[in-house]
Structure formats: C-alpha cells, structure tokens
Amino acid sequence: MIQSLHSPVMLERCLEELALDPASEFYYVDATFGAGGHTRAMLSRGVKVIAIDQDKRAEGLASDLIEKREFRFIKGNFRDLEHHLRRSQIRQVAGILLDLGVSSMQLDEAERGFAFRQNGPLDMRMDESNQLSAMEVVNQFSQEKLAWLIFKYGEDRYSRRISRAIVEARTLQPIQTTMQLVDIIVEAYPRGPRNEHPARRTFQALRILVNDELGALVDVLNAADKLLIPKGRLVVLSYHSLEDRIVKEHLQQSKQLKAVYKKPLEASEEEVRENPRARSAKMRVAERLEPPQS
C-alpha cells in the first residue's frame, strides 16, 4: 500500500468536522486528493470517498485504492465538481473537503516550478495540459500588468519595484528558472530585516493566476450549495487571506449553507511544531440547511 507522502493539515479536525457517517449511502468528496492523506483517513473510518485532483501524479498515488468498491478517483479540476459527479451518476454527497493551495508534494518537486527555495523550470501549472505557465507570464506580461498581479494576488506592497526589475532583467535574457526569478526579486526588495522570503508573495501570485485558483474556488463553492445533502458538511482549509475571504463571504451570502463557527479554526501549537504548513491554515466549516417545510 502506498502511504501518504506528507502529513495532512488538521487531519483529525477535518474528519471530526465532516461528521463522517459509515452508515450513509452517500459519498464524501475529497476535492483535493494530493498525496491522499485525507482520503485514506476517511476510508479508514468506513465511508465512501470520491477523490478529485487535476495533477496526473495524484492519480498514480491513488492506484492502490482504485479497486476498492467504496472509492472512486476522478482526474479533473474541482471547479467542475458538479459535472464530474453528474458523469458518475451522483446527484448528492454527504460531505466535501477542500484543502486549497499547492501541496507539499508539488513543492518538493523542483521540476514543477512551484518552490522559490528550489531551482527548476518556471512552470507552476497544476494541470500540465494548461497552456499558460509562469514562465510565459513573467516574460510576456507588461510591467503594469505584472505590478497589478503581484499586488492583487500576492498582496506585496513592493509590487511595482518587483515588476520593474522583472522587465529590466528579461530584456537581457529570458527568465526561465525559479532561481533566476528569485534572484531578481531579492535584488529588488529593500534591504533590512524580513519576516518572510521576498519571493513568497510573487510566487503565490503567479501560481494563483496560472491555475485560476480563486475562480475555481468560487465555482466549487457554488457547486457545494447544490450538491450537499441536508446537514451535509463543507470543510475548507485555506492558506492565505484571499482564499479565506472568498470562503467567508460565500458562507455569509449562501442561502443553502450556514457556517458552523463564526471564526475560522486554526491548528494547535503542537501541530504547527510538527507540521509547519499548518501555521497559516484556516479551516471554515459549513452545514447544508434543511429544506423549508411545505
């Protein structure tokens, strides 16, 4: 049996908040399979799971589960959740789990271009069939468009300095690797003490744009409104304010889902020590409302 390569964030709390019911006839959806940690834990609790991931490597990591009657794997983007389930002749599900952002598995693969601490091609596509890569963005976008991108999706106040440095550097030679871009960003940043790596926000912005992550999140939240059974649970783990804001606003406006907690849940200090990725995680939980009585 292939084991999960990384520790899932807030695993036990995810299982608790999904309110897993082994007696349920309905599937639970792990919409971000990744290395499979959450899915395997859900299956071990005796529930049926549909796992979705657009990364072809994830499908390989699910290979030992394919023969299980209580498991299905779908290669695709979770933004098309309703379409995926309809094709599988599934109308409703008992729970949906979204663990957003880039996975540790993807960060560890230098050739994917997600990590600013490893050298590799400047790619960042979660689905490699997508046409737009981070390399094309940094080499083709105008200085103004790059500044907008880094400020909006990276929330970096030095976006103009970074975009200007990128445009100046690419006139000398194309920017093709992660370390080329990192060096440009570090040189553009003001000197002095820093709480985080100067490249983190720009890499986040590029990844969000290349994969249309925020648009996909809006789509899957709208699908959750329709697909969950009454009292079915939606659990969302987000890792930056842009994602969390979209989830929060959706739950405030939704007529089908009600937030279980007013504020997002966070990982314990012990988990953060053991799994640093959990430090920025915020979990929001919602429940599908009962239909009004006629």
Side-chain angles (χ1 to χ4, degrees), residues 73-290:
F73 182 87
I74 298 171
K75 183 183 181 300
N77 194 310
F78 64 51
R79 75 185 313 157
D80 302 314
L81 178 59
E82 188 174 5
H83 169 72
H84 295 319
L85 295 183
R86 191 185 306 120
R87 289 189 62 186
S88 298
Q89 298 183 324
I90 295 172
R91 296 174 60 86
Q92 288 187 297
V93 295
I96 299 171
L97 171 64
L98 299 168
D99 186 359
L100 303 174
V102 64
S103 71
S104 300
M105 175 181 68
Q106 291 164 331
L107 287 172
D108 288 345
E109 296 174 338
E111 68 273 15
R112 305 297 298 280
F114 288 106
F116 52 78
R117 298 187 188 278
Q118 299 186 69
N119 196 27
L122 194 57
D123 194 320
M124 299 194 193
R125 293 173 297 170
M126 293 183 183
D127 181 346
E128 293 170 18
S129 66
N130 290 346
Q131 293 185 347
L132 184 69
S133 70
M135 188 186 304
E136 291 171 298
V137 174
V138 299
N139 286 291
Q140 296 178 12
F141 276 29
S142 68
Q143 182 174 320
E144 293 74 18
K145 196 169 182 179
L146 283 170
W148 174 88
L149 165 66
I150 297 166
F151 181 76
K152 182 172 177 63
Y153 292 158
E155 300 179 296
D156 196 316
R157 59 178 174 163
Y158 299 116
S159 59
R160 292 186 180 279
R161 295 177 64 151
I162 295 169
S163 64
R164 183 167 59 250
I166 289 172
V167 171
E168 289 174 354
R170 77 190 191 193
T171 60
L172 302 176
Q173 62 175 336
I175 304 168
Q176 298 179 321
T177 69
T178 53
M179 285 298 106
Q180 274 182 280
L181 181 58
V182 168
D183 290 344
I184 293 165
I185 296 169
V186 169
E187 187 64 29
Y189 242 67
R191 300 293 181 262
R194 298 162 178 159
N195 295 324
E196 62 183 18
H197 194 288
R200 187 185 74 80
R201 292 175 180 269
T202 297
F203 271 61
Q204 172 183 300
L206 289 168
R207 193 198 75 227
I208 288 173
L209 176 77
V210 166
N211 299 288
D212 190 21
E213 293 180 21
L214 302 185
L217 176 56
V218 170
D219 288 346
V220 75
L221 292 174
N222 288 331
D225 284 347
K226 306 173 187 177
L227 296 169
L228 285 167
I229 62 173
K231 294 191 175 181
R233 289 288 185 94
L234 170 69
V235 176
V236 185
L237 283 165
S238 60
Y239 298 89
H240 57 75
S241 60
L242 297 173
E243 294 171 335
D244 183 58
R245 191 178 307 130
I246 288 173
V247 179
K248 176 183 177 181
E249 291 176 355
H250 182 87
L251 297 183
Q252 288 173 338
Q253 297 167 10
S254 176
K255 296 180 180 179
Q256 286 78 33
L257 298 175
K258 181 179 180 181
V260 176
Y261 306 101
K262 290 184 178 179
K263 294 184 178 181
L265 306 175
E266 298 182 355
S268 66
E269 293 182 4
E270 180 181 358
E271 179 174 359
V272 170
R273 284 195 298 271
E274 295 177 357
N275 187 3
R277 184 171 180 249
R279 181 177 293 108
S280 59
K282 294 187 183 298
M283 177 190 291
R284 291 195 184 268
V285 183
E287 186 170 281
R288 181 70 152 84
L289 296 172
E290 295 273 12

